[in-house]
Amino acid sequence: MPIRMNHRALVAAAGGSAVITLIAGQAIAAPAWGPVHVFAPPGRAGAFGPLVVANDRGDAAVVWVDRVSGRVRVAQRPAGHGWRSAATVSPPKLAAEDEQVAIDPRGDEVAVWDAFDGQHELMQAATRRAGHGWGDPATLGSLAPGNPARPQVAIDAEGAATVVWRSGAGAAGRIQMVHRTAAGHWGRKVRLPESGPSTVDPDIAVDAKGNAVVAWQRILGTGTAAIQVTRHRLGRPWSVPHTVSTESDDSEGVQVASDARGDAVVIWRSCSADASTCGVQAARRPAGGGWHSPATLSATGQNTIDPHLALDARGDAMVTWDRVLEGVSEGVEMARHGARGAWHGPVLLDGAGWSSAVALDARGDAVVTFQITGDPDQIDTMRRPHDGSWSAPVRLSTARATGSSVASDARGDAIAVWQQTSSDQTQIAARIRPAQ
């Protein structure tokens, strides 16, 4: 059933979702976002990305790919300070893509990406200790050309990191992984022991103790796919994979998140046999427990794309996605889950928005960013306190903008980044909203 909300807004049911319509004179006060910071200096031809991450104390990192050189760049913002100049972390003469970055509680960072040297796809990584520069990039593995690794990385409270990626496609797919110790030593590339054949597109999350959850898409003999997960507790082997999706559906687009104590959530798109509709589904696993049955978050029969997941320190979860009709986005929707409650939603946040991102702070306050189609396209944001209501949309960008990402620290400082075009130059921009 659609949700009806009461929060200084008139809510009406439409298209299977609650719709937020703010009443004039009663809109929630707009958050105080700081000025726009542009990373790429004038004169550069462009940039791809970006992705932003933050740790609890407020250290942040932004990663993107420079359009001219094809190299990965990362910029840092130490807690309580301004942005540092971006550093180039990938080697020259290699075209990089699928860049990711993770940051631990001390501010140590690990960046990973897929690079092409003209003959092979290379899975590469670089690391940085807080207060120091980036080390030389390391090649963790190689693949046949045409099979991008799509790496993912997670880092625990002690600074130990694990990188996972796909090796091959379809029936040849395998999940590869490399572990990096807290002391900074990369191990050997190994196949994730329980992933088996026909496994692709993994994602990974770790809790504060370093216990890991890996989820992936497994191609089934029927031509459809299922979402599977495995867990690893320190000192124990990887668990037998558990299928969290319904095997009769074609499932794709897996993402996983874990909080510090080990609560985990997996989301994915579950598609009909003819792929005419793809809904958003989720499964939860409380710390120390088993996986719950999957829940469908989007409205029955509604087509969706581009789901995103955020999890706070209490295990509360929020998921956003685009709802789609005949290939055209019809707005950004969300669903949320309390740590000991049930899923609530879907709720339509903005009927003109698409390509969303979501972040939660330690209390569960939410920040969502999304793209607005126009002339030019722009990036907007909305905020929801954990015990309150959604704000009116706030415009973040000041030029043609696409591709936003957002992160929050424990106290609620929010950082939004996006790609913007001004005077034929594509640059990476950011704004910060201090906790209120």
Side-chain angles (χ1 to χ4, degrees):
M1 293 293 293
I3 290 177
R4 296 186 180 273
M5 303 172 63
N6 182 14
H7 53 74
R8 306 183 191 177
L10 176 66
V11 178
S17 301
V19 180
I20 301 175
T21 306
L22 298 170
I23 301 174
Q26 294 184 331
I28 302 170
W33 287 87
V36 175
H37 177 89
V38 177
F39 294 103
R44 300 191 68 87
F48 293 115
L51 171 70
V52 62
V53 296
N55 61 15
D56 282 350
R57 72 178 185 181
D59 301 313
V62 182
V63 63
W64 69 91
V65 171
D66 182 89
R67 183 176 293 181
V68 176
S69 65
R71 301 175 71 182
V72 176
R73 292 175 61 80
V74 185
Q76 286 80 35
R77 178 183 178 267
H81 297 276
W83 290 103
R84 301 293 192 255
S85 298
T88 300
V89 301
S90 64
K93 300 180 181 179
L94 298 180
E97 62 180 1
D98 294 331
E99 68 279 11
Q100 300 284 318
V101 66
I103 188 169
D104 73 9
R106 298 174 299 189
D108 297 346
E109 299 167 34
V110 179
V112 298
W113 61 89
D114 178 9
F116 184 59
D117 65 359
Q119 295 182 323
H120 302 92
E121 302 281 349
L122 304 176
M123 182 43 247
Q124 297 188 317
T127 61
R128 187 189 76 89
R129 293 285 189 186
H132 296 79
W134 285 90
D136 293 334
T139 297
L140 308 182
S142 63
L143 301 83
N147 290 293
R150 297 180 182 174
Q152 299 292 327
V153 58
I155 188 168
D156 68 19
E158 299 300 321
T162 303
V163 183
V164 296
W165 67 93
R166 71 175 192 177
S167 176
R174 299 290 190 276
I175 306 303
Q176 305 285 343
M177 61 180 292
V178 170
H179 183 74
R180 176 185 176 272
T181 67
H185 304 297
W186 288 105
R188 295 185 301 108
K189 177 189 72 174
V190 298
R191 182 175 65 84
L192 186 66
E194 300 296 337
S195 63
S198 304
T199 51
V200 296
D201 298 345
D203 195 15
I204 184 170
V206 298
D207 64 20
K209 296 180 180 179
N211 301 316
V213 179
V214 178
W216 61 80
Q217 178 187 18
R218 182 160 195 164
I219 310 300
L220 304 176
T222 58
T224 59
I227 303 302
Q228 295 184 320
V229 294
T230 183
R231 296 182 293 112
H232 180 266
R233 297 178 62 183
L234 293 179
R236 298 188 182 183
W238 288 91
S239 68
V240 175
H242 177 79
T243 300
V244 294
S245 64
T246 302
E247 293 195 17
S248 59
D249 291 336
D250 189 0
S251 303
E252 62 182 24
V254 62
Q255 295 176 46
V256 63
S258 178
D259 64 17
R261 67 184 180 185
D263 300 313
V265 176
V266 179
I267 67 167
W268 64 93
R269 289 203 313 153
S270 179
C271 301
S272 60
D274 61 359
S276 59
T277 59
C278 294
V280 179
Q281 292 192 320
R284 291 179 54 85
R285 178 190 174 273
W291 287 98
H292 293 179
S293 298
T296 299
L297 310 186
S298 52
T300 302
Q302 178 69 58
N303 198 17
T304 66
I305 59 172
D306 200 23
H308 292 273
L309 167 66
L311 195 65
D312 70 17
R314 304 178 301 178
D316 297 342
M318 184 170 290
V319 182
T320 63
W321 62 87
D322 297 357
R323 71 177 192 179
V324 177
L325 179 64
E326 296 180 352
V328 178
S329 176
E330 286 199 320
V332 173
E333 293 186 323
M334 60 76 63
R336 61 185 180 88
H337 190 290
R340 291 175 174 81
W343 286 100
H344 300 277
V347 171
L348 178 63
L349 296 182
D350 192 294
W354 59 289
S355 188
S356 63
V358 59
L360 295 175
D361 66 18
R363 298 185 304 172
D365 297 344
V367 179
V368 174
T369 59
F370 48 87
Q371 188 167 330
I372 294 292
T373 300
D375 188 17
D377 285 9
Q378 299 280 0
I379 300 297
D380 282 5
T381 183
M382 296 174 68
R383 177 178 179 267
R384 179 187 181 275
H386 68 282
D387 56 355
S389 308
W390 285 102
S391 72
V394 173
R395 180 60 43 85
L396 287 178
S397 55
T398 56
R400 184 183 300 275
T402 60
S404 66
S405 176
V406 65
S408 292
D409 64 20
R411 68 177 185 175
D413 291 348
I415 303 171
V417 299
W418 62 90
Q419 176 181 307
Q420 72 176 27
T421 302
S422 178
S423 301
D424 297 325
Q425 304 296 318
T426 302
Q427 302 167 327
I428 303 302
R431 293 182 75 174
I432 298 172
R433 182 189 58 77
Q436 294 180 335

